[in-house]
């Protein structure tokens, strides 16, 4: 019988002890004497968020299909348990075996959000593993990072032995096989890392050196050995239909953030929004076969017991077989009383017709993401949405019985003017007015409710806006004030509610998103001074970060307020995502010219993703 790592006494002291005991439905148990490799798959945030992450579920399933590998899950302990583990000297453990992960061969972390970087250090600290790769020896696990933040791994490069660039289905088998081979022939950590760097998609930071110019920008970035690749190429799974996907995912004991079946229907996006990193790094757009998805939905329903199924995609409306898939799901879910969730739909006649049939909507609210308040600025960001689209969709929604609409916008976008900011409440007012003009008084289900939310724009690597500058927190808050004040001037102001994001977190996210290796010391300093769970507002302390930057001699303005020149070497330029830097430059110039680029199905813009040999690039 397996022994829990935490005593009953400790479990009784902490919030939600079910986060730490494992043994959930569909979790994988193996005999340690029968496996060659033990892999800890970590999500550097709390259990409820980590259990909602599809990428970990896919890799967990894929690794555990191998007889020679046992993959277990690890999440960041909440601060109450963190303190107990430090005080009692309890090492961080895998949920399945409850064994200390410092005894494992690999620790893999998925990097979804920059504000979780201090939690990387929390996991290493509680696992009792040295923070920096340079301080580890043969007895320590190999620490791997992957996920969207690994597309600029440099701010956290010191903490990782390896980064995996791209989709995990491609090169992990080669990496694990190499490790097994090296273990049999006499394991040498440095030799393994050097050989691993030759596997496509594998980046070993310790094998590269960076030099800087007098102005602080990068002068050179080169491998230290001739046999180490100069560039690291993103790995892409082109055949999604036949690729691995969990048919019996782990079901958590407590309610997760995404407490439902997740059916991935496609990867990538055809739209080309210039601010969107996911839309660029996951190119080309690839779809799963609809017949396969039907079979998969049946298996997932049978193996989990969930009461809701959700489609996963960057833009569900662009999936070619959406109507057939939805009609099938409606048929099977109605019998089993399972709700269907349809995120990422454009609000048009087809989508509204589908929503009428799906009984989980309950006429609650519809969501639009215009991102910008004027058509001029929507053209700058290449958001393929016009006022006519918004008004047509809203009218059809109001006629269909909806009276609540949510709008998402960004403030601080390149070329933004006060007119663009004032355009946000003006658009909301137009939609509210449309409701009262469209729906007769006797048919109204209460007054119209328009909620507008603004986040502040963060330039991300591998986007056409990677050259853009940012602003001080006070400037962002000033822009939010302009919007807020203008809301109060609207005719339908009582129907409009306005929320805005935290400006200080935005600035820090921008520093971490486009930072270089010099940022690592500041991240470590923040953790040593008590900072972790920075993604949670109740634990975020901006002053702690400013103090760390000052102590490490880092000027935050260098990473935020400076607009980059087109010939600057970026910290992430050694990564080849298949989308060329020349394309990004063209799109940056198109943005400044307020010129719209058609989506991938309308016209190929020669971004470079055609080299992967499939997907939307080859549809016609």
């Amino acid at each position: 019988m397996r022994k829990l790592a935490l005593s009953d006494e400790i479990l009784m002291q902490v919030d939600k002890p079910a986060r730490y005991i494992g043994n959930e439905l569909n979790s994988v148990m193996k005999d340690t004497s029968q496996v060659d490799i033990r892999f800890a798959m970590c999500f550097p945030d709390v259990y409820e968020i980590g259990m909602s992450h599809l990428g970990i579920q896919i890799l967990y399933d894929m690794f555990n299909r191998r007889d020679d590998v046992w993959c277990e899950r690890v999440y960041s302990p909440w601060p109450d348990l963190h303190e107990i583990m430090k005080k009692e000297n309890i090492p961080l453990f895998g949920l399945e075996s409850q064994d200390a992960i410092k005894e494992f061969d690999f620790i893999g972390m998925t990097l979804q959000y920059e504000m979780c970087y201090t939690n990387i250090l929390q996991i290493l600290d509680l696992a009792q593993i040295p923070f920096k790769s340079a301080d580890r020896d043969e007895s320590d696990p190999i620490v791997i990072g992957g996920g969207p933040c690994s597309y600029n791994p440099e701010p956290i490069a010191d903490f990782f032995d390896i980064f995996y660039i791209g989709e995990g289905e491609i090169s992990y088998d080669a990496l694990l096989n190499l490790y097994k081979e090296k273990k049999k022939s006499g394991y040498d950590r440095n030799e393994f890392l050097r050989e691993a760097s030759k596997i496509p998609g594998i980046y070993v930071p310790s094998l590269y050196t960076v030099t800087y110019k007098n102005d602080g920008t990068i002068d050179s970035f080169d491998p230290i050995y001739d046999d180490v690749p100069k560039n690291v190429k993103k790995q892409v799974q082109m055949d999604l239909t036949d690729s691995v996907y969990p048919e019996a995912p782990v079901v958590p004991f407590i309610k997760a953030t995404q407490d439902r079946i997740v059916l991935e229907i496609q990867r990538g996006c055809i739209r080309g929004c210039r601010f969107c990193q996911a839309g660029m790094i996951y190119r080309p757009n690839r779809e799963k076969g609809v017949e396969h998805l039907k079979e998969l939905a049946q298996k997932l329903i049978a193996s989990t017991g969930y009461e809701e199924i959700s489609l996963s995609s960057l833009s569900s409306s662009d999936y070619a077989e959406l109507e057939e898939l939805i009609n099938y799901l409606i048929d099977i879910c109605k019998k089993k009383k399972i709700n269907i969730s349809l995120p990422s739909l454009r609000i048009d006649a087809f989508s509204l017709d589908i929503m009428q049939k799906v009984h989980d909507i309950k006429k609650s609210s519809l969501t639009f993401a215009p991102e910008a308040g004027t058509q001029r600025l929507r053209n700058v960001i290449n958001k393929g949405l016009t006022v006519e689209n918004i008004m047509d969709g809203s009218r059809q929604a109001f006629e269909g019985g909806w009276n609540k609409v949510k709008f998402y916008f960004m403030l601080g976008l390149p070329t933004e003017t006060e007119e663009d900011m004032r355009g946000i409440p003006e658009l909301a007012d137009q939609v509210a007015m449309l409701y009262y003009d469209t729906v007769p008084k006797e048919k109204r289900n209460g007054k119209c409710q328009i909620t507008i939310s603004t986040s502040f724009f963060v330039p991300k690597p591998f986007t056409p806006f990677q050259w853009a500058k940012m602003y001080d927190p006070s400037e962002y808050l000033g822009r939010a004030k302009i919007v807020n004040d203008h809301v109060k001037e609207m005719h339908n102001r009582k129907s409009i509610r306005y929320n805005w994001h935290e400006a200080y977190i935005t600035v820090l996210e921008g520093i971490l998103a486009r930072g270089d290796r010099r940022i690592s010391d500041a991240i470590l300093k923040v953790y040593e001074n008590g900072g972790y769970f920075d993604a949670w507002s109740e634990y975020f302390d901006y002053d702690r970060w400013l103090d760390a930057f000052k102590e490490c001699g880092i000027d935050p303005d260098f990473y935020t307020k400076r607009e980059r020149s087109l010939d600057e070497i970026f910290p992430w330029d050694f990564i080849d995502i298949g989308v060329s830097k020349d394309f990004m430059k063209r799109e940056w110039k198109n943005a400044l010219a307020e010129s719209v680029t058609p989506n991938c199905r309308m016209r190929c813009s020669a971004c470079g993703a055609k080299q992967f040999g499939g997907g939307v690039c080859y549809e016609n």
Side-chain angles (χ1 to χ4, degrees), residues 106-280:
F106 291 92
I107 294 176
M109 297 197 210
T110 183
L111 310 171
Q112 296 294 313
Y113 181 34
E114 292 84 356
M115 298 311 298
C116 291
Y117 283 179
T118 45
N119 279 54
I120 294 168
L121 299 179
Q122 181 213 21
I123 284 172
L124 294 173
D125 184 21
L126 293 179
Q128 302 174 2
I129 294 165
F131 290 126
K132 296 195 173 184
S133 171
D135 298 327
R136 297 178 196 136
D137 60 27
E138 265 70 9
S139 67
D140 293 306
I142 299 293
V143 181
I144 307 179
C149 290
S150 65
Y151 284 86
N152 178 20
E154 293 306 278
I156 46 176
D158 287 353
F159 312 132
F160 286 88
D161 302 305
I162 287 173
F163 286 94
Y164 185 110
I165 310 299
E167 296 170 356
E169 295 94 337
I170 305 298
S171 290
Y172 261 121
D173 278 336
L175 182 68
L176 297 175
N177 291 340
L178 174 68
Y179 181 79
K180 269 182 68 174
E181 179 189 316
K182 293 294 179 188
K183 273 284 193 183
K184 283 178 185 170
S185 60
Y187 177 67
D188 178 283
R189 184 186 187 88
N190 292 328
E191 183 189 327
F192 167 72
L193 291 174
R194 187 164 169 179
E195 286 302 306
S197 73
K198 299 168 190 174
I199 296 172
I202 300 298
Y203 167 51
V204 180
S206 61
L207 300 180
Y208 296 76
T209 184
V210 193
T211 62
Y212 300 92
K213 298 177 183 176
N214 291 333
D215 65 1
T217 60
I218 291 175
D219 185 39
S220 67
F221 186 98
D222 294 298
I224 59 177
Y225 300 113
D226 290 341
D227 61 342
V228 173
K230 189 170 177 61
N231 294 303
V232 180
K233 193 173 181 69
K234 171 186 83 172
Q235 298 304 290
V236 185
Q237 174 68 337
M238 293 306 299
D239 181 6
L240 289 185
T241 301
D242 290 328
S243 70
V244 65
Y245 196 83
E247 296 176 359
V250 182
V251 180
F253 280 135
I254 57 176
K255 186 175 173 63
T257 310
Q258 305 290 330
D259 199 37
R260 57 184 73 102
I261 293 166
V262 178
L263 191 65
E264 185 187 39
I265 60 173
Q266 61 183 2
R267 289 183 194 169
C269 183
I270 64 171
R271 296 285 151 187
C273 298
R274 293 173 179 137
F275 58 83
C276 181
Q277 186 186 51
M280 297 293 164

Side-chain angles (χ1 to χ4, degrees), residues 24-79:
E24 304 100 321
L25 177 68
N26 298 331
S27 59
V28 177
M29 300 300 293
K30 294 191 178 185
D31 180 348
T32 53
S33 66
Q34 301 299 310
V35 296
D36 299 310
I37 296 172
R38 299 190 69 182
F39 198 114
M41 187 66 72
C42 302
F43 193 96
D45 206 330
V46 74
Y47 176 91
E48 296 93 302
I49 293 179
M51 279 296 290
S52 303
H53 185 248
L54 178 60
I56 279 190
Q57 293 269 20
I58 292 172
L59 292 178
Y60 179 84
D61 181 78
M62 184 177 89
F63 288 170
N64 280 321
R65 290 187 187 197
R66 289 182 54 142
D67 292 335
D68 56 351
V69 177
W70 187 11
C71 179
E72 303 186 38
R73 294 161 299 123
V74 183
Y75 306 101
S76 282
W78 197 242

Side-chain angles (χ1 to χ4, degrees), residues 125 139 177 234 244 281 294 350 353 404 429 570 580:
D125 184 21
S139 67
N177 291 340
K234 171 186 83 172
V244 65
I281 63 175
K294 290 176 185 178
F350 164 67
D353 179 52
K404 297 175 186 174
D429 192 57
F570 290 138
S580 70

